[in-house]
Amino acid sequence: PVHFTTFKTVVKTAFNQRRTTLRNALKPLQVNWAQFPDEYATLRAEALPYAAFTEIANSLKAPDHAP
């Protein structure tokens, strides 16, 4: 299961800038791209499968107030 707030942050941040690769769009979130397929970082948000957003969100630390 994915923490909703973290997932929402990833999706919002990914789609915040037009025509930007995920590597650049998600820089503020400090994603460790080494743990994902190389293509994820070079894709634009609209080309990434839904499940990949979940993987990225799960890789990030959830907020401390999360249950």
Side-chain angles (χ1 to χ4, degrees), residues 4-24:
F4 178 74
T5 305
T6 306
F7 178 77
K8 181 178 168 186
T9 300
V10 169
V11 173
K12 249 183 133 169
T13 305
F15 282 96
N16 199 26
Q17 295 180 350
R18 288 188 192 187
R19 302 181 55 82
T20 302
T21 63
L22 285 172
R23 181 184 309 277
N24 291 328

Side-chain angles (χ1 to χ4, degrees), residues 41-55:
T42 60
L43 291 174
R44 293 183 180 159
E46 63 270 13
L48 196 69
Y50 175 80
F53 284 106
T54 304
E55 289 177 46

